[in-house]
Amino acid sequence: MLSNEVLNILSTDSKRGHEDTIHDVQFNWFGDMMATCSSDHMVKIWKKKEEEGWVMVKELPHLHIAPVWRMSWAHPDYGVLLATCSMDSRAIIWRMANDDVTEWTNKVLMDSVTPVIDVKFAPRTWSSADMNPGKPDTLLLATCCDKAVFFYMVEPYPHLNDTDGNRLSQYTIEESAGNISCLAWNSLSDFAQLILAVGFSGDKGLSRIDLYTFEDSPGSNSDQVCSKSKTRIMSLPLKSKLQHMAFRPNNGSRRNVLAVATEYKLLVYKFYCEDEVAPESDGVEEYKDTVRQVDWDIFGTQILTLFSNGTLKTFSWKFKPRTQWLGRELVTQKELFQCGMGF
């Protein structure tokens, strides 16, 4: 839940805040650092301090020349890594240098010729060193434009170097398949298999989610493209336009749970990788306003949704008196507009 303090510093009329609409807010692994991005082309880093609260500690170099849409933090075992994507057809990897929050190195990725609309680091477990004995530990980054998904290898060195951001492969969809709108990696446990969900938004009949599994680490041979180890296991057709999606944190279960926000309804899909049958789905709630973003709490028991009218709402799983998802508002549209938030 966003505190009033966080909402106030993100307001567009704040001297420390952005000058235009804020598109994404991401907290790091420990929750003591926050990144924000905006239509003002800027990415700002905030640090939680005991006495002062949230303080803006760094305005990253102005390398994006168009609105910045989404961001992703990497697992802290790889250092402080942040990826951003923008309408300028660029994705950028930022790394904090020398444990100094005011010093950041960067690597600009320019493979796309159209706006980059999502960026996601893979979970740590997939790129553990024991999968590649004697080889550097690597991290995978996925980005997407409307017709392609790109995979990049990021080396775990203190500074970004020439090998960081080497593209491993490109997955291109057919022109008639709709436009890619979002990506989501599942979180891993000892029993789960890595899954990448690729969401497609289009007219009636074109919205769907394709789920891919990866059998081998892409770092096992950097000369081989990642597509050789990628397998599409299922496709989830959607009746209305896809807006956003997020996997539930995995707490040791082999079952994957995916929250999907469509134009008119919030859905929850439950499935196993080895199943050939269609996944189970729960229709949580139909709504009038479009959901902009959906996410889970750390325990995987609540779904947080952000609506286009500025309302924040959470859905909790309840077993009694009957199995259902119960929703309640956390922040209303009026409360958000009072602190100057823009959407």
Side-chain angles (χ1 to χ4, degrees), residues 35-53:
T36 60
C37 63
S38 168
S39 284
D40 62 8
H41 309 176
M42 300 304 300
V43 178
K44 298 188 177 186
I45 306 297
W46 308 76
K47 187 76 173 177
K48 179 73 171 180
K49 298 187 177 181
E50 293 184 2
E51 297 181 356
E52 304 174 68

Side-chain angles (χ1 to χ4, degrees), residues 40-311:
D40 62 8
H41 309 176
M42 300 304 300
V43 178
K44 298 188 177 186
I45 306 297
W46 308 76
K47 187 76 173 177
K48 179 73 171 180
K49 298 187 177 181
E50 293 184 2
E51 297 181 356
E52 304 174 68
W54 286 98
V55 177
M56 190 188 75
V57 293
K58 181 65 176 180
E59 189 175 276
L60 296 182
H62 197 177
L63 298 183
H64 284 299
I65 56 175
V68 185
W69 287 123
R70 288 175 180 166
M71 305 173 294
S72 177
W73 291 98
H75 191 283
D77 282 358
Y78 297 94
V80 183
L81 276 172
L82 176 70
T84 59
C85 65
S86 170
M87 287 287 289
D88 60 10
S89 304
R90 301 176 183 178
I92 302 178
I93 304 172
W94 308 86
R95 188 192 296 271
M96 189 174 75
N98 305 318
D99 294 325
D100 185 350
V101 74
T102 63
E103 295 185 21
W104 294 74
T105 57
N106 62 78
K107 180 78 172 184
V108 180
L109 311 175
M110 302 182 65
D111 289 292
S112 177
V113 295
T114 56
V116 182
I117 52 183
D118 205 356
V119 58
K120 289 288 189 301
F121 279 111
R124 178 196 178 281
T125 308
W126 189 24
S127 40
S128 61
D130 57 3
M131 298 182 71
N132 299 292
K135 293 189 177 183
D137 192 5
T138 58
L139 176 66
L140 194 74
L141 174 69
T143 69
C144 68
C145 61
D146 58 347
K147 295 296 181 183
V149 178
F150 301 92
F151 300 93
Y152 298 92
M153 178 180 63
V154 182
E155 300 288 350
Y157 297 117
H159 305 283
L160 290 176
N161 53 58
D162 292 338
T163 63
D164 286 325
N166 285 346
R167 179 160 62 87
L168 294 174
S169 69
Q170 175 181 344
Y171 161 60
T172 305
I173 68 173
E174 298 177 1
E175 291 295 324
S176 60
N179 294 328
I180 300 174
S181 59
C182 53
L183 303 171
W185 294 99
N186 68 333
S187 58
L188 292 180
S189 69
D190 293 337
F191 306 102
Q193 190 174 19
L194 184 71
I195 297 176
L196 175 66
V198 181
F200 298 82
S201 291
D203 296 330
K204 186 176 182 180
L206 291 181
S207 288
R208 73 180 194 277
I209 300 172
D210 286 348
L211 301 173
Y212 294 86
T213 58
F214 296 79
E215 298 295 338
D216 303 312
S217 168
S220 59
N221 189 342
S222 59
D223 295 328
Q224 300 294 323
V225 296
C226 189
S227 58
K228 290 186 177 181
S229 59
K230 177 174 87 291
T231 304
R232 187 171 75 172
I233 57 172
M234 67 180 72
S235 183
L236 308 177
L238 302 173
K239 294 182 179 180
S240 57
K241 187 175 181 180
L242 174 66
Q243 299 294 328
H244 199 246
M245 60 184 175
F247 277 100
R248 186 185 70 178
N250 192 310
N251 296 317
S253 172
R254 294 173 59 187
R255 186 174 69 169
N256 294 277
V257 181
L258 179 66
V260 178
T262 66
E263 193 170 14
Y264 303 113
K265 196 171 186 179
L266 180 63
L267 302 168
V268 177
Y269 288 94
K270 296 169 283 186
F271 60 92
Y272 296 90
C273 289
E274 59 271 22
D275 283 352
E276 296 182 359
V277 298
E280 301 176 25
S281 66
D282 296 330
V284 179
E285 183 174 330
E286 296 185 2
Y287 36 74
K288 297 180 181 179
D289 296 299
T290 303
V291 172
R292 294 297 187 189
Q293 194 164 346
V294 61
D295 209 344
W296 294 83
D297 71 334
I298 192 172
F299 302 106
T301 58
Q302 296 188 75
I303 303 174
L304 183 67
T305 54
L306 172 63
F307 290 85
S308 58
N309 67 354
T311 301

